[in-house]
Amino acid sequence: MQRRNVICGLMVAGLCCGGGAAIALDVADVTREWTAEGKKLAAERIKLPAHDEMVRIPAGPFIMGSDRKVDRNSYAAEYPQRKVHVDAYEIDKYEVTTVQFLKFVLAHDLPPLIDWQYDGGNFQDTMANHPVMHISWFDADAYCKWAGKRLPTSAEWEKAARGDDGRIYPWGNQPAGLSRANFGRTGLSGPVRDRPERLLLYPPIVSVDKYENAVSPYGVFQMAGNVAEWTSDWYDSNYYKTASDRNPKGPAQGTQKAFRGGGWIDSTPSVRPAQRNGTDPNTKMNWLGFRCARDVKDAGEASEPPPPQSKLE
């Protein structure tokens, strides 16, 4: 089921239905402001180590989408499964972190993000290596361009997550467990806020370099769980029926942008890399972040060679 497209139709507005009640999400209409001391601290924080590594994904075909006979959790938007050729490219090894995004914020004299509410506009120390969140598609697109990169297409994102053999998860076909991915422990999907059972139901965000045992065949981290990730494509649930089998870039136009990978609020079936969803590009949520990609100018050069593809588990 395309969960996020239908959760009461109110996620962007900041409300969700739950047992007949409206539950506010943590996307309050608040603008944070820097203090003078806060900006000084932020200027020091951008010197912290960044996770800037990229991984080269070689040119060639991969199996995109799902086969219902293999993946019983798949649904119509993932069909038909087919081979798709993607030219070589590089993709961030890790989700973009708060420290990385802070550099962009300071470079453009932007206000702090909604969850940067400590020490005059800063994030907590423990969040330094967490994926940045509450980022709209436009924010993510602007950051990638500023960094000399771009958002990955959905096809590029999926290949980097699954390799070329059609595996269900980055590590193989074995379902996600708490030792492999950061996702909701209840088996349910949906947002929560200010509920005492929150930490029992859902895990906290974790650093982008966790779960070394669950990297993709190319060595890319957290392509399942933690935060879902924006891609460059417009979203259309029927797109696979007519999409090109060579470097597909999504529909020419639309009203929603595609995101992939699932996040901490999601259940095991929802953190499958083949799952497709879309939302308004202005959406800013605490389960949604991004990573960047870039074209390979010289196929003979790579920032980091891809590891050999591992066998399915």
Side-chain angles (χ1 to χ4, degrees), residues 159-216:
K159 182 176 181 179
R162 303 177 72 191
D164 59 16
D165 55 16
R167 60 185 59 197
I168 297 174
Y169 294 98
W171 52 83
N173 289 339
Q174 182 180 352
L178 298 181
S179 65
R180 292 184 186 270
N182 192 35
F183 63 97
R185 298 182 175 97
T186 64
L188 303 174
S189 292
V192 292
R193 175 182 168 86
D194 298 334
R195 288 163 54 181
E197 68 272 30
R198 182 216 181 278
L199 291 179
L200 296 176
L201 297 176
Y202 299 97
I205 296 291
V206 299
S207 296
V208 299
D209 57 355
K210 299 297 184 183
Y211 304 111
E212 291 185 10
N213 62 326
V215 298
S216 81

Side-chain angles (χ1 to χ4, degrees), residues 88-109:
Y89 61 99
E90 290 182 326
I91 193 166
D92 287 344
K93 187 174 183 177
Y94 307 103
E95 294 161 329
V96 172
T97 67
T98 53
V99 167
Q100 289 172 296
F101 200 79
L102 176 60
K103 295 177 182 180
F104 171 76
V105 167
L106 294 183
H108 292 81
D109 197 24

Side-chain angles (χ1 to χ4, degrees), residues 7 41 45 49 55-56 67 75 80 104 108 121 129 146 177-178 217-219 221 261-264 293 298 305-307:
I7 296 180
L41 176 58
R45 282 190 159 188
V55 174
R56 182 177 182 272
D67 181 345
Y75 57 89
F104 171 76
H108 292 81
N129 291 321
W146 170 78
L178 298 181
Y218 301 107
F221 279 66
W264 58 267
D298 184 344

